Amino acid sequence: MKFVDEALIEVYAGDGGNGCVSFRRERAIPFGGPDGGDGGDGGSVYAVADYNLNSLADFRFTRVFRAQRGENGQTSECTGHGGADLEIPMPLGTLIYDTSTEELIGELTRRGSRIKIAQGGFHGLGNKRFKSSTNRAPRKSTPGSPGEQRELRLELSLMADVGLLGMPNAGKSTLLSSVSAARPKIADYPFTTLYPQPGVVAVGEHRSFVMVDVPGLIEGAADGAGLGIRFLKHLQRTRLLLHMVDVMPPDGSDIAENIRVINAELAEFSEELSSREQWLCFNKIDVLAPEERQELIDRTLAELDWQGRWFAISAATREGCDVLAREAMAWVEAHAPVIEDEPEDEPDAMPERPPHEQQLSDEDDDNQ
């Protein structure tokens, strides 16, 4: 299925149920008084993180979501049933924006995260709530308030431990297919990767990390050139960047200059992203003799004054790939984020009652 990382949806919370006007009528009780019940609250709409989703493709077909309306109040002081809340599953890394205000409502960064994106309407009041010492037979009730309606923009930024970046045809997809079970498209022409491709890299028993391959970047990617403007954002959620470098570029370009171009695009897109931990991976070393490859790497490192880590690999023959995977696994484990113990889930606090309802409640207390 096609990868989708942006979507527009409409959400409608349920309206509150109307209050009821009713009077108690029984044979032995001719003046029973008002007994109309309140309506039920409308259901709210929630966005819930689903670990099993990795795309917003489902929202191409279903764009409108409606929570259940609250039932109207009934006779005999029966309160209407509250509308059921609606939960919309979304992949981890989804950012939710209100299109009318461009406000960021929230983002789903943890498994089981739950964000309210539309508030259900409040219930209407039955005529029993309007009974007083001076009005013993009120014929007044209130309608339920309408539920919140919103048009939302969803943006998916894939969450991964390690991100691959580099020029087109640098071997990113080949490396991903070599160290994981992912099978991205691989060909001998630029921009074979048209959408981000995640894969799980297993390193020993119960040790693994997520690696994501993004389309190749070119000069001007941060301004919209090539495919970079849509997919640079997917590197924002990665913690370690592996910069794939083709030691024998097909166009004969200078590899040190190619590295500078990519890093300049990162800096223009995000200063925080450009300062993230980055390792150079000199790929396709199998096409060079051992003496030539080492001379080329040493010259490039000296020209760049590179102080970070680097690796010499061949994604096609898997030479050096296992060492790279183990070192990346060790780095991910050493820099694992500290997760504080979260309190047990508690039900959402009931919204405050409207002022008129609070006032009526106080009057009832006085009359008792």
Side-chain angles (χ1 to χ4, degrees):
M1 180 177 288
K2 180 180 178 182
F3 179 84
V4 178
D5 61 354
E6 291 185 358
L8 289 175
I9 64 173
E10 297 177 13
V11 294
Y12 297 87
D15 297 339
N18 299 327
C20 174
V21 175
S22 174
F23 294 90
R24 184 180 179 186
R25 291 291 183 264
E26 295 183 26
R27 181 176 180 182
I29 308 177
F31 301 102
D35 68 347
D38 298 340
D41 290 326
S44 298
V45 183
Y46 292 85
V48 181
D50 190 334
Y51 187 74
N52 298 313
L53 299 178
N54 58 10
S55 170
L56 298 175
D58 292 342
F59 297 103
R60 293 187 302 164
F61 311 104
T62 306
R63 297 178 181 272
V64 179
F65 300 86
R66 299 179 185 274
Q68 191 175 25
R69 181 186 186 277
E71 293 184 358
N72 295 334
Q74 301 177 22
T75 61
S76 302
E77 302 182 21
C78 292
T79 300
H81 193 279
D85 293 333
L86 176 65
E87 294 188 346
I88 306 175
M90 299 180 185
L92 283 171
T94 302
L95 292 91
I96 306 169
Y97 293 90
D98 188 320
T99 57
S100 61
T101 62
E102 290 303 320
E103 171 194 5
L104 175 61
I105 298 176
E107 53 184 327
L108 302 174
T109 57
R110 291 185 179 181
R111 184 184 305 188
S113 298
R114 192 168 182 261
I115 300 174
K116 182 184 289 186
I117 54 180
Q119 170 67 52
F122 292 101
H123 57 268
L125 305 179
N127 66 333
K128 183 181 184 300
R129 303 295 292 272
F130 295 92
K131 180 177 122 177
S132 68
S133 59
T134 58
N135 187 6
R136 307 300 294 271
R139 298 181 179 273
K140 177 182 178 182
S141 65
T142 60
S145 62
E148 193 172 13
Q149 303 178 9
R150 275 180 165 176
E151 185 179 69
L152 304 176
R153 185 178 77 255
L154 308 180
E155 292 186 3
L156 175 60
S157 180
L158 289 178
M159 300 184 69
D161 300 301
V162 178
L164 301 177
L165 75 155
M167 287 284 187
N169 276 121
K172 302 183 295 297
S173 298
T174 305
L175 175 62
L176 184 65
S177 65
S178 297
V179 298
S180 74
R183 291 296 174 262
K185 182 178 180 180
I186 300 174
D188 59 354
Y189 54 85
F191 298 114
T192 54
T193 300
L194 299 178
Y195 55 86
Q197 175 68 56
V200 178
V201 181
V203 183
E205 187 175 2
H206 304 302
R207 299 179 69 209
S208 63
F209 62 89
V210 179
M211 177 184 290
V212 63
D213 169 26
V214 301
L217 306 178
I218 61 175
E219 187 171 3
D223 297 323
L227 301 175
I229 188 62
R230 287 189 57 195
F231 301 114
L232 270 170
K233 64 184 179 183
H234 291 288
L235 295 175
Q236 290 181 306
R237 296 292 179 86
T238 60
R239 293 187 283 149
L240 173 65
L241 300 177
L242 300 185
H243 192 151
M244 300 293 291
V245 182
D246 188 348
V247 297
M248 292 290 288
D251 58 0
S253 57
D254 182 67
I255 61 175
E257 182 59 26
N258 289 342
I259 295 172
R260 292 194 187 98
V261 168
I262 297 298
N263 285 332
E265 294 303 320
L266 290 182
E268 184 173 351
F269 180 77
S270 168
E271 287 292 339
E272 191 275 333
L273 183 60
S274 65
S275 62
R276 198 161 298 174
E277 179 83 11
Q278 182 181 144
W279 296 353
L280 290 183
C281 300
F282 294 94
N283 190 26
K284 305 181 183 179
I285 59 173
D286 55 299
V287 302
L288 298 175
E291 299 80 10
E292 293 181 70
R293 72 177 67 158
Q294 192 58 49
E295 180 183 352
L296 177 63
I297 292 173
D298 291 341
R299 184 172 66 251
T300 303
L301 295 176
E303 186 175 346
L304 295 171
D305 191 23
W306 186 259
Q307 303 299 322
R309 300 189 65 178
W310 61 271
F311 296 84
I313 66 170
S314 172
T317 64
R318 290 187 57 88
E319 180 181 354
C321 292
D322 291 338
V323 175
L324 175 61
R326 288 196 299 269
E327 291 298 315
M329 182 75 258
W331 188 95
V332 168
E333 292 176 336
H335 296 80
V338 178
I339 301 178
E340 299 179 356
D341 293 335
E342 296 182 350
E344 296 183 359
D345 293 338
E346 298 180 355
D348 294 334
M350 291 295 293
E352 294 183 0
R353 288 178 294 181
H356 65 273
E357 182 177 343
Q358 182 67 45
Q359 181 179 357
L360 289 170
S361 178
D362 295 340
E363 291 179 357
D364 289 344
D365 295 340
D366 294 339
N367 295 331
Q368 291 178 357

